[in-house]
Amino acid sequence: MRHDHITSAKQLSRGDIETVLDRAREIAADPSSYADRHAGALLGLLFFEPSTRTKMSFSAAIKRLGGDVVDMGPVEASSVKKGESLADTVRVVEGYADALVLRHPSEGSAQMASEFVDVPLINGGDGAGQHPTQTLLDLYTIREAAGLDDLTIGIMGDLKYGRTVHSLAYALTNFETSQYFISPESLRLPQNVRYDLDEEGATVEEHTELDPVLSDLDVLYITRIQKERFPDESEYRKVAGQYQIDTTTLDAASDDLTVMHPLPRVDEIDHDVDETSHAQYFQQAHNGVPVRMALLDLLLGGNQ
Ligand code: NCD
């Protein structure tokens, strides 16, 4: 891979994606052969927003490559509380680590921060912007379950604030996919994302209901309404609880439908779906470790 920083899924070509996913598959097949690959490497974790999966799977990934983490810890206990700027924080922490993962509430923060550092900086989610490593594990999961070409995917829920959606939508333009976006009017895909997809010649439809398209789908990717991003809680309440699925909803789906969710779920997927063969969301979360191992391996010089 020729990228130093991974800030947006827009920068990932089909070749880049396949390189990461192929490496992840090799790692998943024989993790122990990678155990000392990056002995002594340190990954700096800068999480300015809550995280379970992204932070823990990055930690697991670097440790399974023989490295370790240096973690800024909670924002409240860091010098950010003393008024330190993000640019200064990353300039300091790059001296402590071989690569950085940044999660931050401001859209564009990862791109900005990357301009201040020489070590690879990975965007672990920038506000409602992008979450490119989630996309890599989403693509890995889709490829293993359904293949990435000739695919019809429904992406449903909070398409406006859902950064995993924005990254996935861009990355899928590298493949022969039809993307059906299903959301309330108020949470449609941002116009700039839709514009970019059209520029890429992507096959895109927007819908407000799942039912008319469900039987066409190979993959249904469901997202949480991103409550924390609503400027006004009453706007959240208007859409909360919409777009839930249960096993009855899935009666109309193909037997091979793969149901995905970046997690955490709130009430979008009834727990009865967990027991069906459609449910891939826990496997999807687990795939975060080999995929992040593959990405770190490539960024830390695993090509040699
Ligand atoms: C997502 C995120 O942080 O954007 N979580 C994750 O990384 N798996 C999705 C979400 O919070 O809804």
Side-chain angles (χ1 to χ4, degrees):
M1 290 228 310
R2 52 194 166 72
H3 305 293
D4 297 330
H5 306 299
I6 305 291
T7 56
S8 165
K10 256 193 206 179
Q11 74 190 86
L12 299 174
S13 68
R14 183 175 177 129
D16 292 333
I17 293 166
E18 287 173 343
T19 301
V20 177
L21 303 198
D22 289 348
R23 183 68 53 98
R25 190 184 267 168
E26 276 171 39
I27 291 171
D30 185 11
S32 61
S33 68
Y34 284 78
D36 297 319
R37 185 126 162 145
H38 294 283
L42 289 177
L43 182 64
L45 302 177
L46 298 135
F47 279 70
F48 292 76
E49 275 193 337
S51 174
T52 302
R53 276 149 290 273
T54 304
K55 189 169 172 177
M56 292 187 74
S57 64
F58 263 116
S59 301
I62 191 70
K63 291 179 184 185
R64 290 201 184 279
L65 291 167
D68 207 340
V69 295
V70 276
D71 184 354
M72 182 184 81
V75 172
E76 300 71 44
S78 74
S79 282
V80 175
K81 271 281 157 209
K82 302 180 189 168
E84 185 168 55
S85 69
L86 178 59
D88 278 3
T89 302
V90 293
R91 265 188 288 196
V92 169
V93 178
E94 80 160 330
Y96 306 153
D98 302 296
L100 304 177
V101 183
L102 173 69
R103 170 170 290 190
H104 196 278
S106 305
E107 199 168 329
S109 53
Q111 178 57 41
M112 183 280 281
S114 73
E115 286 160 20
F116 290 90
V117 295
D118 291 325
V119 300
L121 184 141
I122 302 168
N123 181 4
D126 61 322
Q130 290 275 312
H131 194 348
T133 66
Q134 177 68 40
T135 291
L136 289 167
L137 73 93
D138 292 342
L139 295 173
Y140 182 88
T141 308
I142 295 170
R143 191 169 81 163
E144 298 299 307
L148 275 167
D149 280 313
D150 298 322
L151 181 83
T152 302
I153 180 167
I155 304 181
M156 181 167 88
D158 186 345
L159 311 180
K160 180 178 181 182
Y161 296 118
R163 55 196 176 195
T164 71
V165 171
H166 307 156
S167 288
L168 182 60
Y170 283 129
L172 285 171
T173 63
N174 289 293
F175 302 91
E176 296 296 315
T177 52
S178 302
Q179 303 191 52
Y180 293 170
F181 293 98
I182 306 143
S183 73
E185 281 291 337
S186 62
L187 295 180
R188 282 172 62 177
L189 212 53
Q191 274 188 356
N192 64 317
V193 178
R194 176 66 211 250
Y195 176 85
D196 290 341
L197 296 182
D198 290 342
E199 285 287 290
E200 291 294 325
T203 307
V204 171
E205 290 183 18
E206 291 183 85
H207 295 270
T208 53
E209 301 292 334
L210 174 62
D211 286 351
V213 295
L214 178 59
S215 62
D216 298 338
L217 302 181
D218 302 303
V219 173
L220 174 58
Y221 186 98
I222 302 176
T223 64
R224 174 179 71 88
I225 309 284
Q226 307 279 302
K227 183 179 181 189
E228 67 277 27
R229 312 238 181 263
F230 281 68
D232 178 350
E233 175 138 3
S234 68
E235 290 301 311
Y236 168 73
R237 281 198 298 274
K238 280 187 204 155
V239 287
Q242 292 184 23
Y243 301 93
Q244 295 169 337
I245 67 154
D246 57 21
T247 48
T248 313
T249 321
L250 295 179
D251 283 346
S254 143
D255 289 346
D256 298 331
L257 175 75
T258 298
V259 176
M260 296 174 59
H261 192 304
L263 302 178
R265 73 174 145 185
V266 181
D267 53 9
E268 307 81 50
I269 305 178
D270 193 282
H271 289 254
D272 64 2
V273 177
D274 300 358
E275 306 312 320
T276 70
S277 60
H278 300 295
Q280 279 293 317
Y281 27 92
F282 291 109
Q283 181 60 46
Q284 180 185 354
H286 296 163
N287 291 340
V289 176
V291 170
R292 290 182 167 120
M293 284 173 76
L295 182 68
L296 290 170
D297 182 38
L298 293 162
L299 290 175
L300 293 171
N303 281 327
Q304 298 121 26

